[in-house]
C-alpha cells in the first residue's frame, strides 16, 4: 500500500501567533529576572508572567538556560538597534 505524501502546512497567522508567544515569554523572563534574579526566575514564574503554560515554555525554548540566553540575546539586539 503506497502512502501519500504529507501535505505541508503553512499559516501566516499561526506563525505570527507563535512569534508573539515567544516574545511574550522573553519579555516575561526579563521582568521576572529583574524582579528577583536568577533564583526566582523559574520556568513556572516566567510562564505565569507570560500567561502561558510551562509546557509552552519548554516546547519553545527547551530549558531555562536556553530561555535566559535567548532573553539576553534579544535584550542586546534591542539595545544595539535602539528598539527600547
Amino acid at each position: 500500500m503506497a502512502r501519500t505524501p504529507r501535505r505541508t502546512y503553512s499559516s501566516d497567522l499561526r506563525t505570527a501567533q507563535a512569534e508573539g508567544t515567544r516574545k511574550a515569554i522573553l519579555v516575561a523572563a526579563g521582568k521576572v529576572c529583574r524582579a528577583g534574579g536568577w533564583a526566582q526566575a523559574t520556568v513556572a514564574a516566567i510562564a505565569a508572567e507570560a500567561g502561558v503554560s510551562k509546557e509552552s515554555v519548554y516546547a519553545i525554548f527547551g530549558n531555562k538556560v536556553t530561555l535566559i540566553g535567548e532573553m539576553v540575546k534579544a535584550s542586546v539586539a534591542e539595545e544595539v538597534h535602539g528598539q527600547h
Side-chain angles (χ1 to χ4, degrees), residues 4 10 17 26-27 29 43 47 50-51 55 58 69 75 78-79 84:
T4 57
S10 178
Q17 289 172 332
L26 292 172
V27 168
V43 171
E55 291 77 15
Y58 286 118
S75 295
E78 285 179 13
E79 290 295 322
H84 299 275

Side-chain angles (χ1 to χ4, degrees), residues 4 14 20 24 48-49 51 53-54 58 62 74:
T4 57
R14 180 64 197 119
E49 179 69 29
S53 68
K54 291 187 306 183
Y58 286 118

Side-chain angles (χ1 to χ4, degrees), residues 40-48 52-55 57-58 63-64 67:
Q40 299 302 313
T42 64
V43 171
I46 293 166
V52 300
S53 68
K54 291 187 306 183
E55 291 77 15
V57 175
Y58 286 118
N63 59 52
K64 178 181 168 181
L67 166 58

Side-chain angles (χ1 to χ4, degrees), residues 22 26 68-80 83:
R22 186 177 190 285
L26 292 172
I68 300 302
E70 291 297 314
M71 178 202 67
V72 170
K73 283 196 277 187
S75 295
V76 169
E78 285 179 13
E79 290 295 322
V80 168
Q83 300 174 2

Side-chain angles (χ1 to χ4, degrees), residues 3-58:
R3 297 184 95 195
T4 57
R6 294 190 96 188
R7 201 169 52 113
T8 58
Y9 175 77
S10 178
S11 166
D12 292 339
L13 176 61
R14 180 64 197 119
T15 300
Q17 289 172 332
E19 184 58 27
T21 300
R22 186 177 190 285
K23 286 181 181 178
I25 294 167
L26 292 172
V27 168
K31 287 180 182 178
V32 173
C33 282
R34 283 189 299 279
W38 172 261
Q40 299 302 313
T42 64
V43 171
I46 293 166
E49 179 69 29
V52 300
S53 68
K54 291 187 306 183
E55 291 77 15
S56 292
V57 175
Y58 286 118

